[in-house]
Structures are given as C-alpha cells and as structure tokens.
Amino acid sequence: MRPLIPFVHQSTSSEAEQWCATLREMLPQCDVRLFEQLSEEDKARVEVAVVANPAPADVAQLSHLQWVHSVWAGVEGMMASLADMPFEIVRLTDPHLAQTMSEAVLAWVLYLHREMPQYRQQQSAGQWQPRPYTDACDRHIVILGLGVLGHKSALRLVDNGFRVSGWSRSEKQLDKVCCYSGEQALPELLDDADIIVNLLPLTAATESLMDEMFFQQVKAGAALINFGRGASIVDADLLQALDRGQISHAVLDVFTQEPLPLDSAFWQHPGVTVLPHISGPTSVSTASRIVADNISLYLLEGVIPPTVDKSLGY
Ligand code: NAP
C-alpha cells in the first residue's frame, strides 16, 4: 500500500486541489489526498501530513501523525493551536521565497530611499520642489530578523549600495552586514536607523515589540517596513509615532486583522502605505518541490527535516 499523505487545510477548494495536484505529480510513490477524502481507517495510518493553516480538530484526528509539513514560512497560527500536540512541525524554507521577499524589501526600501511618498504628496499639491539627494551608502537600513528571509534581504541591500545592519536572537556573521543580537543591542541600533525592516516571526518575545518605547528609541524621521507579522506592532503607538513625525512613513504589508478592516486609520493616513500581504507569496511549484523532497527523504531514510522549536515559537 502506498504511503498516504493528506493535505489538511482551510483554503478554498480550488487552492487545495492545486496543491494536491502538484504534490501528486512530485510524489508519485505516495497517495496524496485532501483530508476530507480520508476514511477513519485512512486517518489512523497517516504518519506525515502537508498542512496549510489546518483546523486543529482535523489534525487531532490523525492519531499516528509523526510530523506535519506546512506550506507556509510563518507558523505563529500553528504555534497557537497545535504546539501542544505530540507531533513535530516543519515549516517551509524556500530559496525562491527568500528571493521574492528580498525583491520586495529592495523595492520598498528604494521607494522610501528615493522619497516617493513625499514626491507623490508634492504632486498632489502641484508643488515643483526637488529634495536633497542622499546616497544609498549614507542610508542605514536595519533589518529585524536575520533568518532565511532577513539574511537574503540584507545581502540584496548590500549589493545595492546601502549600509546594512541586522538584528537576531543569536549571534551572526554576514559579509558586509553589521550583525547585532539580543535585546540590549536594540536601542543603539534603532537610534541610528534610517529605514527599519521587520522580518521577525511572531512569537511571545516579538509580539508588540514595536510599541511606544520602541518608537521613542527610533531616530526621529526614520521609516518602517513591516513584512513580518502585524501583531509585532502596537497599532495605536505606531499611529502616534507617525503623527508626531518620529516615524516619517510606514509600509505595512501585514496586520493584526487581515484583510485590514475598512475602519482602520491606516487606510487613510498620509504617512502609511497599505499592502495586502503580498511581499512574499508562496510559489506552489517551488514549495511543493521542497515539501515533496523532504517527504521522500523521510520515507526512504526516516529523516525528519529541521523542526520548529516549540519553546521559542519559531
Ligand atoms: P526564520 O528563518 O525563522 O528567521 C527568524 C529570524 O528572527 C532569525 O534571525 C531569528 O534569530 C530572529 N528572531 C526570532 N526571535 C527573535 C527575538 N526575540 N529577538 C531577535 N531576533 C529574533 O524566519 P524567516 O523564514 O526569515 O521568516 C520570518 C517571518 O517572515 C516569518 O515568521 C513570517 O512571519 C514572515 N513572512 C512574511 C511573509 C509576507 O508575505 N509578508 C511571507 C513569508 C514570511 P536567530 O537567527 O537567532 O534564530
């Protein structure tokens, strides 16, 4: 009997079918099926499942589950709902996603660096007013989170001439990037940042990290890009920081509630660019290739890929 690999999800049926069809092509040795197509007998023999924001009640029915492979890079939803369950969680680490995210980081850093929001406002006011030019090497970009996505983004910014620093939990060494670690290093870093890019996972330690105290430590007039998770920002504190000019502009791609509710002050704020969670979309084809290779290796050699540290939450 072929190993049974269910796709457990809360996606639309067409999205789920697309994942299943691609995984079936890449795992011909397996029986890949939607969770809703499993009998009770099937459920009892599943060892590995591919998941996309699964309902905890569905996963709990897979009594012999050893590990799940998420098709997303972020796992905070699963940490909140599945961390107590006895199986391991593997998240997506995809070089293609890192490339796409680093492109978005570069694009929006350039948007802020070349002062496009300010020129847009000047145009609206019919104002012909060249602003002083700043060289890229005189712009200090600080990336919060030097993981798979932050690392690639930092190098891409270096390649484009920016002065780049990064912040992580553990110590790092990256060519031409000044690396800092630990809470004590953050105030000094913020005080010298022109553009802050958040690529941290959402955990107990990073939830509400960007609060009133954080914004007080930021150099006056710095800009912020949030491509990590919305709940790392205290929205009311960011709005205050924008209103008093401490933050000159914020590019926000992720929000505590998505889609962003229509009554959110972010929509109309002149200092905010709202994006609909598009900075790092998962590619079904490259992600399926990675998931399929990881599952094939497990079936051949029993090797589970690096798992999420449930105590750290990422
Ligand atoms: P990752 O490889 O796990 O990297 C996380 C980085 O954050 C690591 O450098 C880690 O430090 C650092 N970190 C974690 N907790 C910290 C803390 N308390 N203080 C300082 N640094 C801390 O994750 P990734 O693949 O780069 O992804 C990052 C996040 O991007 C995801 O969790 C997800 O939320 C978000 N994301 C967004 C989109 C989008 O479209 N907007 C798409 C994909 C992912 P260490 O290196 O020391 O562990």
Side-chain angles (χ1 to χ4, degrees):
M1 203 185 286
R2 289 188 300 160
L4 176 57
I5 310 289
F7 184 72
V8 194
H9 68 100
Q10 296 186 83
S11 335
T12 61
S13 55
S14 66
E15 276 169 353
E17 280 298 349
Q18 192 193 0
W19 279 107
C20 269
T22 313
L23 286 164
R24 246 175 238 131
E25 261 174 47
M26 296 178 181
L27 284 168
Q29 75 279 35
C30 297
D31 178 0
V32 179
R33 269 189 258 163
L34 291 172
F35 172 80
E36 46 272 39
Q37 295 167 337
L38 303 190
S39 67
E40 291 310 310
E41 233 171 66
D42 292 332
K43 288 176 190 166
R45 71 183 178 90
V46 170
E47 278 184 40
V48 190
V50 181
V51 299
N53 182 28
D58 288 348
V59 191
Q61 293 175 43
L62 305 172
S63 52
H64 287 92
L65 195 59
Q66 301 299 306
W67 60 288
V68 297
H69 202 320
S70 175
V71 296
W72 314 129
V75 287
E76 68 289 334
M78 294 174 72
M79 282 298 109
S81 58
L82 305 181
D84 291 339
M85 295 193 189
F87 50 81
E88 300 290 349
I89 297 174
V90 173
R91 71 186 191 100
L92 180 71
T93 54
D94 181 352
H96 180 269
L97 173 63
Q99 179 70 11
T100 314
M101 179 58 90
S102 71
E103 180 185 81
V105 168
L106 175 62
W108 296 100
V109 161
L110 287 171
Y111 169 80
L112 296 165
H113 165 58
R114 293 308 298 259
E115 304 188 288
M116 295 189 211
Q118 291 87 341
Y119 281 116
R120 177 71 243 179
Q121 276 177 17
Q122 287 187 192
Q123 183 180 340
S124 303
Q127 223 181 337
W128 180 277
Q129 179 64 59
R131 300 170 63 86
Y133 175 70
T134 301
D135 266 314
C137 62
D138 293 324
R139 245 357 141 190
H140 184 201
I141 320 297
V142 168
I143 303 196
L144 306 180
L146 279 179
V148 177
L149 305 182
H151 180 154
K152 181 82 185 168
S153 301
L155 298 185
R156 197 145 181 186
L157 292 173
V158 167
D159 283 349
N160 281 272
F162 290 99
R163 180 157 80 89
V164 183
S165 298
W167 184 67
S168 53
R169 202 178 44 79
S170 57
E171 281 181 29
K172 298 256 177 298
Q173 281 196 333
L174 261 81
D175 200 23
K176 297 186 182 153
V177 177
C178 293
C179 297
Y180 299 80
S181 58
E183 273 175 44
Q184 70 295 343
L186 195 56
E188 196 186 326
L189 200 50
L190 295 178
D191 186 43
D192 189 37
D194 294 309
I195 301 175
I196 300 160
V197 181
N198 178 42
L199 279 170
L200 290 165
L202 182 62
T203 67
T206 63
E207 183 169 3
S208 302
L209 175 78
M210 286 172 264
D211 61 2
E212 191 183 352
M213 195 173 83
F214 177 100
F215 292 119
Q216 276 168 6
Q217 290 166 345
V218 164
K219 179 162 88 177
L224 174 69
I225 297 175
N226 189 13
F227 287 168
R229 285 293 179 257
S232 289
I233 291 180
V234 178
D235 292 355
D237 294 352
L238 172 59
L239 284 163
Q240 276 185 13
L242 284 159
D243 289 342
R244 60 173 197 272
Q246 190 75 14
I247 295 289
S248 56
H249 197 90
V251 175
L252 306 176
D253 183 47
V254 285
F255 301 90
T256 306
Q257 196 185 335
E258 294 181 8
L260 181 65
L262 274 179
D263 62 0
S264 166
F266 287 141
W267 282 113
Q268 301 303 333
H269 198 292
V272 176
T273 298
V274 170
L275 302 173
H277 201 140
I278 45 78
S279 53
T282 297
S283 148
V284 175
S285 61
T286 62
S288 296
R289 181 74 273 158
I290 286 161
V291 170
D293 287 350
N294 283 338
I295 291 176
S296 298
L297 189 66
Y298 172 75
L299 295 175
L300 276 175
E301 298 178 12
V303 178
I304 300 179
T307 56
V308 168
D309 183 330
K310 291 183 181 178
S311 63
L312 292 174
Y314 74 99

